[in-house]
Amino acid sequence: ESENTEEAAAEPVESVREVPHKSMPLARRTLENVDSFLLAKHLTLVECELFVAIQSREFMDKAWLASNKEEVAPNIVAMTNRFNEVSTWVATAILQRTTVKERRKVLQKFIDVAWQCKELNNFNGVFEIVSGLNSSAVHRLKKTWEIPAQRRDQYNQLATMVASNDNFKALKDKLFTTNPPCVPFLGVFQTYLTFIEDANSNTGSHGLINFEKRRKLAAIISRMQMYQRTPYSSEGVVHDIKEALMRLPTLTSDELFTLSLEREPREPG
């Protein structure tokens, strides 16, 4: 499997236009071979539907952390599960490739898809793909990560944007200066809402309703509702791509790490 860095740098990055989306039925090709913009667009449409389904009451009283969260915050739970599913799919798709060259190609493709998600203001999509690339099973693949400087630079920009430093400050700044349509990463809003809930009591010093707390909560929730009211255009939807993205093949974390060690064994010492 050994390939040097110079060969990797000279290898052309998989084009986002290499495989026309109507060239063959999806069953005869893989999602990773779909045009990068189309893949990002359909990921965005699927996730926008999940986001729009969230009810404002699901953000109250930290419902998404409750023991009965599936009942009181079912749509937030569904979007969280979707995030984990896509992240795991990214790692699975890379590790299922048996050669370094194939893994590099898929790795670069996902960086490109994440970049297209950024252009579409799908920050949830950016974060879940970067999360998959940052998983321990993928991150340790030194040979696989020998990719051209252009793609590495794109990855670094994306990773910086979704970094958790200062409670996702970079992502907050980006999100709160972005006009809809947009699919936000819910963790940004949940961080705000958790801080407001924990730092403010429900009642004031005289036992009256704490309207200032309610106002702060309403301001955050209204921001999300603004994004929910502005959906993406569904023009040009390819239904077999969308349907396939709702049935993603994934391996368990243990299976992924075992496969990672098979692909690139630990170096001695």
Side-chain angles (χ1 to χ4, degrees):
E1 282 199 5
S2 62
E3 296 180 30
N4 60 38
T5 307
E6 287 74 23
E7 289 176 333
E11 177 186 314
V13 175
E14 182 175 18
S15 169
V16 300
R17 300 289 183 261
E18 275 183 5
V19 182
H21 70 273
K22 294 183 179 179
S23 61
M24 64 182 82
L26 191 61
R28 292 176 52 199
R29 53 196 168 95
T30 63
L31 278 171
E32 301 84 61
N33 286 330
V34 173
D35 173 288
S36 291
F37 176 76
L38 276 177
L39 199 51
K41 176 180 178 177
H42 286 76
L43 273 171
T44 299
L45 290 174
V46 170
E47 288 161 16
C48 185
E49 290 176 5
L50 291 171
F51 173 59
V52 169
I54 298 173
Q55 303 297 306
S56 58
R57 64 176 180 274
E58 297 183 47
F59 287 107
M60 302 299 293
D61 301 316
K62 297 186 288 187
W64 65 90
L65 298 177
S67 58
N68 62 337
K69 59 186 176 183
E70 288 82 6
E71 298 174 17
V72 295
N75 298 298
I76 291 180
V77 170
M79 194 156 187
T80 301
N81 290 342
R82 172 66 181 181
F83 183 101
N84 295 332
E85 180 186 22
V86 173
S87 297
T88 305
W89 167 58
V90 169
T92 298
I94 293 169
L95 286 162
Q96 284 182 330
R97 294 331 196 257
T98 58
T99 69
V100 172
K101 183 176 181 179
E102 289 173 332
R103 288 195 298 277
R104 283 179 187 151
K105 194 172 185 179
V106 177
L107 173 67
Q108 292 179 70
K109 182 56 175 269
F110 276 121
I111 293 173
D112 192 25
V113 173
W115 192 265
Q116 299 291 339
C117 284
K118 177 183 73 71
E119 296 298 301
L120 288 166
N121 295 335
N122 179 5
F123 302 114
N124 185 73
V126 173
F127 205 154
E128 61 196 5
I129 292 173
V130 170
S131 178
L133 298 177
N134 273 338
S135 65
S136 57
V138 175
H139 184 71
R140 62 172 296 278
L141 301 174
K142 293 182 180 179
K143 295 177 182 177
T144 301
W145 277 95
E146 291 173 354
I147 59 177
Q150 175 195 359
R151 282 289 183 240
R152 172 66 74 167
D153 181 60
Q154 284 185 322
Y155 168 77
N156 288 339
Q157 289 184 54
L158 295 168
T160 298
M161 187 178 74
V162 300
S164 59
N165 301 4
D166 297 325
N167 290 321
F168 304 107
K169 183 181 185 307
L171 190 54
K172 285 178 183 176
D173 292 345
K174 182 72 174 174
L175 184 58
F176 282 86
T177 56
T178 296
N179 293 321
C182 167
V183 181
F185 171 60
L186 290 186
V188 169
F189 291 108
Q190 289 167 319
T191 299
Y192 272 117
L193 293 170
T194 297
F195 177 79
I196 294 169
E197 290 282 5
D198 293 347
N200 300 272
S201 63
N202 288 326
T203 56
S205 57
H206 300 290
L208 301 175
I209 294 174
N210 187 344
F211 285 105
E212 179 61 16
K213 176 180 179 178
R214 297 295 178 184
R215 184 191 66 77
K216 291 178 179 178
L217 291 171
I220 300 300
I221 293 173
S222 65
R223 182 79 187 188
M224 285 184 282
Q225 291 175 325
M226 178 186 72
Y227 291 133
Q228 288 180 314
R229 288 193 296 267
T230 311
Y232 289 83
S233 170
S234 59
E235 183 180 354
V237 169
V238 182
H239 293 290
D240 62 345
I241 296 176
K242 188 178 179 183
E243 289 171 8
L245 284 170
M246 297 171 73
R247 302 188 308 274
L248 296 172
T250 58
L251 298 173
T252 66
S253 57
D254 287 343
E255 290 171 333
L256 287 170
F257 203 78
T258 297
L259 200 53
S260 177
L261 292 173
E262 290 177 9
R263 299 297 186 235
E264 294 188 28
R266 289 191 177 101
E267 297 178 359

